[in-house]
Amino acid sequence: MNNFVILSDILQTETTASAYVEQSMLWASKEYLSLTIESEEQIVFEDGASSRLEVFHAKYNEVTEEHLIMQTARICGKKVYLLTLGLENDTVVDNYSKYKAILSTFSCK
């Protein structure tokens, strides 16, 4: 069930990537049937830019099973990218660092 989704949008107001992730989590908490944050930490991209990385479990509705999700954002000029990695629910915490490394490779061109 591992998948990687990148959504992009044009920023209407100036913000940081960390603040964008925080706002995204507020919106998400209203959309999911359940949402449990496992961890919040800083992620540093390969070029030195940083953001907030959220690791959480979420359930869309009564029918779907809960999913483990890692999410961060990257701002490139006026464009923001919301990077979401869906993982197997039984992914062990010791393996999170390899997925964080994948997310940290996202760069602006």
Side-chain angles (χ1 to χ4, degrees), residues 1 14 26 34 42 44 48 64 72 78 82-83 88 96 105:
M1 195 295 318
E14 194 171 314
L26 283 173
S34 67
Q42 183 181 43
V44 179
T64 60
T72 190
K78 291 282 187 189
L82 187 64
L83 312 171
E88 296 284 346
Y96 288 6
T105 65

Side-chain angles (χ1 to χ4, degrees), residues 67-90:
H67 294 285
L68 174 62
I69 300 168
M70 296 180 94
Q71 189 171 72
T72 190
R74 181 67 200 259
I75 295 177
C76 300
K78 291 282 187 189
K79 201 162 193 177
V80 62
Y81 297 90
L82 187 64
L83 312 171
T84 306
L85 188 56
L87 302 171
E88 296 284 346
N89 285 335
D90 60 357

